[in-house]
Amino acid sequence: MNRKLFIILLALLPFFVSCGKKEAPNLPGDRKNLKIGICPGPYGDLLKKGVFPDLEKKGYKIEIVQFSDYIQPNLALASGDIDANLFQHLPYLKKFTADKNLKLSAIINIPTAPMSVFAGKTKNPKDIKEKASIALPNDPTNLLRALKLFQELGFIKVNPDAVPTKASLSDITENKKQIQFLPLEAAQLPRSLESTDFSAINGNFALASGLDLTKAVILEKLAEEHKNIIVVREAEKDSVFAKDIVEAVKSENFETIVDQDFKGFQKPEWFGKRK
């Protein structure tokens, strides 16, 4: 190869490499135009009613970006396509960021709709039959939450030492009725009610599909770590806009909206200590 050509190609190599990798832009933390990612469910309304009014008074212009699954919102945040997201709990964030090598941080948790078990073809848990079919979330942390709900119903027994980030159907230690468990993407769970006996459905997807939490077979009692969180890039967790979001969430307006329009949501521990 011509020596001059080799030197030119060598000099251009970093450029070619960088073109294939999308990195989050270095954005100022005091910017006023924000994009916040959510998944289907009530959280867009919760933000619009309870958080955005306070932010808009401070000059923010905010756009909601909706995603259909639990994978894209974190990838979009890491790449800089959005500025924050609200759809997940802390164990999910920790596992996802570890698996994908992303640097994201939670800034506050919020009132959350609990996971619920809804009746499908079988209406009463006492009527569960041999080899009944049950749908549940396919990601480990939410799968374990669902298994524990079915344990409460007496369907199965679950390994008490199961690790949330590594949980699987192998953590079922007793299944006398040989129930067939079907792990599905969370967004597909409401539709599974037509073909399964019962389904454990994440609160946001249950509400998005028109299901009534008060008619669930059983509602989860949320652990603090399973209450949804607002997440930003790690480098911006102390930014002006992140602090303004936290302040808006802790405002009197937010508390009023939650009590008025989001009944049944389980509140984080800080909620009663706001004052």
Side-chain angles (χ1 to χ4, degrees):
M1 180 185 291
N2 182 284
R3 181 176 176 80
K4 283 187 176 180
L5 179 60
F6 175 78
I7 292 172
I8 292 172
L9 289 174
L10 190 64
L12 289 174
L13 183 60
F15 170 78
F16 291 131
V17 171
S18 66
C19 285
K21 184 179 180 182
K22 188 176 182 182
E23 296 181 349
N26 184 19
L27 299 172
D30 58 353
R31 59 188 178 279
K32 293 292 186 178
N33 294 316
L34 302 176
K35 291 182 178 181
I36 300 181
I38 62 167
C39 287
Y43 298 105
D45 285 340
L46 182 60
L47 289 173
K48 289 175 184 176
K49 293 180 179 181
V51 177
F52 290 0
D54 278 20
L55 292 176
E56 288 166 352
K57 288 177 184 177
K58 294 180 178 180
Y60 287 93
K61 293 182 179 179
I62 309 161
E63 177 185 346
I64 289 284
V65 180
Q66 186 148 316
F67 297 89
S68 60
D69 60 43
Y70 283 174
I71 297 173
Q72 296 307 314
N74 280 335
L75 297 180
L77 179 57
S79 69
D81 291 335
I82 59 176
D83 303 286
N85 67 40
L86 168 57
F87 75 97
Q88 65 196 316
H89 52 59
L90 192 57
Y92 181 88
L93 174 69
K94 287 181 177 179
K95 185 176 190 312
F96 193 95
T97 53
D99 289 347
K100 303 291 185 182
N101 193 27
L102 304 179
K103 294 183 178 181
L104 307 177
S105 292
I107 54 173
I108 193 168
N109 60 357
I110 65 163
T112 304
M115 182 179 287
S116 311
V117 173
F118 287 89
K121 295 188 295 182
T122 300
K123 303 307 176 185
N124 192 324
K126 294 180 181 179
D127 297 329
I128 190 79
K129 296 179 180 179
E130 295 278 338
K131 297 185 178 179
S133 60
I134 288 179
L136 72 175
N138 64 358
D139 62 281
T141 54
N142 286 316
L143 182 144
L144 183 58
R145 293 167 65 195
L147 289 179
K148 289 181 177 180
L149 283 176
F150 293 120
Q151 179 173 252
E152 281 190 55
L153 289 171
F155 293 176
I156 57 173
K157 289 186 179 179
V158 181
N159 177 8
D161 298 320
V163 179
T165 57
K166 299 178 180 179
S168 70
L169 295 182
S170 64
D171 286 306
I172 298 173
T173 58
E174 184 179 294
N175 185 4
K176 290 182 178 179
K177 294 205 171 184
Q178 300 180 55
I179 293 169
Q180 307 299 304
F181 287 95
L182 307 172
L184 300 174
E185 289 287 340
Q188 298 176 21
L189 289 166
R191 294 193 294 273
S192 72
L193 287 170
E194 297 178 3
S195 57
T196 59
D197 293 282
F198 295 95
S199 293
I201 305 176
N202 300 66
N204 63 315
F205 284 110
L207 292 170
S209 65
L211 292 170
D212 185 344
L213 295 182
T214 65
K215 295 181 180 179
V217 171
I218 187 173
L219 291 174
E220 176 187 28
K221 295 177 182 176
L222 285 171
E224 190 69 6
E225 65 177 4
H226 289 144
K227 289 164 187 171
N228 281 358
I229 49 180
I230 297 177
V231 178
V232 299
R233 286 180 288 278
E234 186 176 290
E236 295 187 325
K237 64 181 180 180
D238 296 317
S239 64
V240 174
F241 83 81
K243 291 178 179 179
D244 284 341
I245 289 174
V246 170
E247 185 176 334
V249 170
K250 290 187 174 183
S251 70
E252 290 185 10
N253 177 60
F254 184 77
E255 183 175 351
T256 300
I257 291 299
V258 170
D259 290 340
Q260 176 181 296
D261 296 340
F262 297 89
K263 293 180 174 63
F265 279 47
Q266 295 180 22
K267 300 173 182 177
E269 291 177 356
W270 62 259
F271 209 86
K273 304 173 183 176
R274 185 179 60 80
K275 297 176 183 179

